[in-house]
């Protein structure tokens, strides 16, 4: 009886090992068959958002002063460049374009944070133009790159349940390095290169996107790879996709180089060993993001992991 029990236990362990190997192989095969993400894309599977729990103070504004469009996440991913292309006049995109579909407002309004602090606020001040009157033909672009949390998504779902979002992404390692340098150069913050890990948060695209998809359907979120906006030939294609998504007229644009500081002597770039270290640390989140979106990405975290 004891021998039979041992054989049964051994057989069960063997089956368990084979099952685990099968699951690992299945996941690996899935990753290998994913397509490379195009410059702009939607999640390839449908999501089922929850109904937000809204207080009486958060009742939907059924007669807004203007419709609103939002950036989601996107910190150090080219949010300034995209906002300029959407609102400013070509070819240089340095001044406001009065033919734009968007109101001439500040770039970063961060409405979710305003609504959380003052739930009754409809923020008409940003929509009002000319003598404080509303222009319902125009839209408000809230290009705030700091909207990332589930709470902010729920707040926006209470105030604006049909809202459309654009989420800019780029190589998460390079994004993190950019934020690190931005804090050093623009804000004169003393940050040691060993503390780059503290800037990982906005590079976790999986969690940031998942937070929004808790309360909005996947068709309301368009992803844009910022590398496409660094290519003059692809810029117009990206703008067409964004304007179509936001349901505003298409517009012809010029080319904006972007707010780059890599030529600055102060800009710190990591060596190969450091890049590989951070790429490996971010790999699991990149895999989760790939599984969420249905695409794979040509990023350092993909290409450097197995490099010796």
């Amino acid at each position: 009886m004891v021998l039979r029990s041992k054989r049964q236990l051994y057989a069960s362990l063997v089956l368990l090992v084979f099952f685990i190997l099968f699951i690992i192989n299945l996941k690996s095969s899935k990753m290998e068959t994913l397509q490379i993400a195009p410059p702009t894309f939607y999640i390839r599977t449908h999501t089922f958002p929850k109904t937000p729990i809204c207080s009486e103070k958060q009742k939907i504004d059924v007669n807004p002063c203007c419709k609103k469009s939002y950036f989601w996440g996107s910190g150090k991913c080219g949010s300034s460049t995209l906002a300029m292309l959407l609102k400013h006049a070509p070819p240089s995109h340095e001044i406001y374009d009065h033919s734009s579909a968007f109101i001439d407002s500040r770039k970063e309004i961060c409405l979710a944070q305003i609504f959380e602090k003052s739930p009754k606020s409809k923020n008409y001040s940003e929509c009002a133009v000319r003598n404080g009157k509303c222009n319902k033909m125009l839209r408000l672009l809230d290009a705030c790159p700091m909207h990332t949390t589930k709470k902010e998504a729920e707040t926006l779902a209470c105030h604006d349940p049909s809202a459309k979002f654009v989420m800019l992404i780029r190589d998460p390692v390079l994004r993190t390095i950019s934020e690190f340098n931005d804090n050093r150069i623009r804000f004169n913050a003393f940050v040691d290169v060993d503390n780059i890990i503290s800037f990982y948060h906005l590079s976790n695209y999986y969690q940031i996107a998942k937070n929004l998809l808790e309360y909005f359907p996947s068709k309301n979120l368009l992803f844009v790879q910022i590398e496409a906006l660094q290519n003059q030939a692809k810029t117009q294609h990206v703008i067409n996709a964004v304007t179509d998504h936001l349901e505003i007229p298409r517009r012809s644009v010029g080319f904006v180089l972007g707010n780059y500081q890599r030529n600055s002597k102060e800009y710190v770039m990591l060596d190969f060993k450091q890049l590989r270290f951070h790429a490996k640390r971010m790999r699991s989140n990149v895999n989760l993001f790939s599984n969420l979106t249905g695409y794979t990405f040509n990023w350092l975290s993909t290409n450097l992991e197995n490099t010796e």
Side-chain angles (χ1 to χ4, degrees):
M1 291 294 293
V2 175
L3 183 60
R4 181 179 298 177
S5 297
K6 286 184 176 180
R7 286 178 178 173
Q8 290 175 339
L9 178 61
Y10 177 75
S12 298
L13 288 173
V14 170
L15 287 173
L16 179 61
V17 169
F18 275 108
F19 177 73
I20 292 173
L21 291 174
F22 171 76
I23 295 297
I24 293 174
N25 184 62
L26 187 64
K27 288 185 176 181
S28 299
S29 299
K30 182 180 178 182
M31 290 297 294
E32 289 173 2
T33 57
L34 292 180
Q35 297 178 10
I36 295 289
T40 62
F41 62 93
Y42 294 94
I43 287 177
R44 300 175 73 182
T45 57
H46 294 291
T47 60
F48 302 93
K50 298 189 299 188
T51 300
I53 301 174
C54 307
S55 66
E56 284 296 315
K57 294 180 180 180
Q58 292 176 314
K59 284 184 177 180
I60 297 168
D61 185 7
V62 295
N63 190 29
C65 187
C66 64
K67 291 185 177 181
K68 306 172 185 69
S69 301
Y70 302 87
F71 285 3
W72 184 255
S74 309
K76 302 312 299 176
C77 286
S79 58
S80 295
T81 299
L82 183 56
M84 290 170 67
L85 289 168
L86 290 171
K87 294 173 60 177
H88 292 182
S92 63
H93 294 281
E94 293 179 352
I95 59 173
Y96 175 67
D97 184 357
H98 289 276
S99 67
S100 167
F102 293 104
I103 289 166
D104 185 13
S105 63
R106 56 198 166 113
K107 177 206 165 203
E108 299 178 16
I109 303 167
C110 301
L111 283 171
Q113 297 170 13
I114 292 174
F115 291 150
E116 284 182 5
K117 292 178 182 178
S118 180
K120 288 186 177 181
S121 172
K122 304 301 181 184
N123 210 45
Y124 287 149
S125 61
E126 295 291 346
C127 295
V129 294
R130 295 183 183 177
N131 301 320
K133 294 182 180 180
C134 292
N135 187 335
K136 295 190 177 184
M137 298 300 293
L138 295 178
R139 291 194 177 215
L140 175 67
L141 178 63
D142 187 1
C144 176
M146 304 308 294
H147 284 156
T148 61
T149 69
K150 191 182 298 185
K151 177 62 177 175
E152 289 168 334
E154 184 177 30
T155 297
L156 291 177
C158 287
H159 284 272
D160 200 355
S162 61
K164 295 289 187 74
F165 297 85
V166 175
M167 181 171 169
L168 291 130
I169 58 174
R170 65 187 288 197
D171 186 302
V173 176
L174 299 183
R175 192 222 66 82
T176 303
I177 296 171
S178 179
E179 185 182 358
F180 163 75
N181 278 285
D182 197 47
N183 277 264
R184 292 180 60 256
I185 298 171
R186 288 178 58 195
F187 305 116
N188 296 316
F190 177 77
V191 187
D192 189 86
V193 70
D194 292 333
N195 292 326
I196 285 182
I197 292 174
S198 63
F199 297 101
Y200 274 12
H201 167 64
L202 292 177
S203 294
N204 188 351
Y205 305 139
Y206 165 73
Q207 190 60 57
I208 292 171
K210 190 170 179 292
N211 287 341
L212 184 70
L213 296 172
E214 288 278 334
Y215 298 101
F216 289 91
S218 55
K219 65 182 178 65
N220 286 32
L221 176 61
L222 177 71
F223 293 91
V224 175
Q225 296 204 71
I226 190 57
E227 288 84 359
L229 288 179
Q230 297 167 8
N231 182 318
Q232 189 168 4
K234 295 180 180 179
T235 299
Q236 186 64 57
H237 166 78
V238 171
I239 295 302
N240 289 346
V242 172
T243 53
D244 289 351
H245 171 67
L246 298 179
E247 300 177 324
I248 58 176
R250 288 187 174 186
R251 56 189 266 116
S252 297
V253 297
F255 179 67
V256 177
L257 184 59
N259 182 26
Y260 297 115
Q261 298 170 324
R262 292 183 190 175
N263 294 328
S264 169
K265 293 181 180 179
E266 299 178 79
Y267 196 96
V268 175
M269 192 60 192
L270 306 188
D271 60 31
F272 179 83
K273 183 177 180 181
Q274 292 170 319
L275 287 172
R276 186 168 181 265
F277 170 78
H278 293 291
K280 291 182 70 175
R281 287 183 65 96
M282 293 184 183
R283 180 60 177 163
S284 60
N285 283 334
V286 170
N287 283 342
L288 288 170
F289 187 59
S290 289
N291 288 331
L292 176 69
T293 61
Y295 290 104
T296 189
F297 301 88
N298 190 25
W299 289 336
L300 290 175
S301 44
T302 305
N303 298 324
L304 290 184
E305 184 190 15
N306 297 317
T307 306
E308 294 300 331

